[in-house]
Structures are given as C-alpha cells and as structure tokens.
Amino acid sequence: SNVVVTVMNEGEQALAYLRDCNSQSREVPVLVLLDINLPGKNGIEVLKEIKGDRKLKVLPVIIMTSSNRTQDVINTYESFGNAFVHKSVSYTEFKEQLSSLSNFWFETCSLPA
C-alpha cells in the first residue's frame, strides 16, 4: 500500500495544515511524525495543540527526533504523544526506522477512521 507523505517545515505551518484539512476537503492525515526541533513552535508545543484540539486529538503522533534527552521523552508522553523515537543519524538506519514505523502503524495497528 502506498503512503503519501506531506512535509511541513514549521510547527505553525503543520498546525494550520491539520486544522484546514476539513475546510479544504483534504483528508486529515492518519499519522503525524514530529521533530522536537522545529522553528517557531517546537514539536512538543505542536503535539500539545494537536492533543488539545477536539477534532485532531485522536491522531497518533510520534515524536521522531535526534534528541535523546530524558526530559524530551517524558514531555512527549506527558503531552499524550503516542511514541518517542530516537532518529538515527545513519540514512540506512533511518530508512529502516521509517519502514518499521510504517509496518507497525499501517499494518499491525488499527487507526481511527
């Protein structure tokens, strides 16, 4: 099955995209990958806004970042993130991580409609 990926470079841009999906007749994504280190609103702030939004809060959100700070892991789960993944710096390993995430979320899990 094909996975369509939409990339946003800033936290506010990602939130605007998600909030505008219904009004723009775009399908809301079924999964969100967020880096902590985003310009403007960081990934944890974006996560909190997604989970605080009545329409978006069911979206699974994965923080995928090069950070391995214990506090970032705690903040992710305290903010109702669905997973924290330490992003590999090796491109080959990063591709394997994405493949593993894709298999888990799109084949093993049931996602909200």
Side-chain angles (χ1 to χ4, degrees), residues 6-17 33-43 46:
T6 304
V7 177
M8 303 287 148
N9 296 313
E10 297 178 350
E12 280 291 356
Q13 182 187 25
L15 285 167
Y17 178 87
L33 296 177
L34 277 175
D35 195 335
I36 288 179
N37 304 311
L38 293 171
K41 283 186 192 256
N42 70 34
V46 173

Side-chain angles (χ1 to χ4, degrees), residues 64-99:
M64 189 170 197
T65 183
S66 56
S67 167
N68 56 7
R69 288 181 54 237
T70 303
Q71 194 58 50
D72 288 337
V73 178
I74 292 167
N75 290 345
T76 295
Y77 291 109
E78 283 184 344
S79 304
F80 304 104
N82 298 86
F84 183 98
V85 177
H86 183 256
K87 179 170 59 179
S88 176
V89 290
S90 150
Y91 180 68
T92 304
E93 286 176 21
F94 177 66
K95 275 181 24 182
E96 287 171 8
Q97 284 178 316
L98 289 179
S99 177

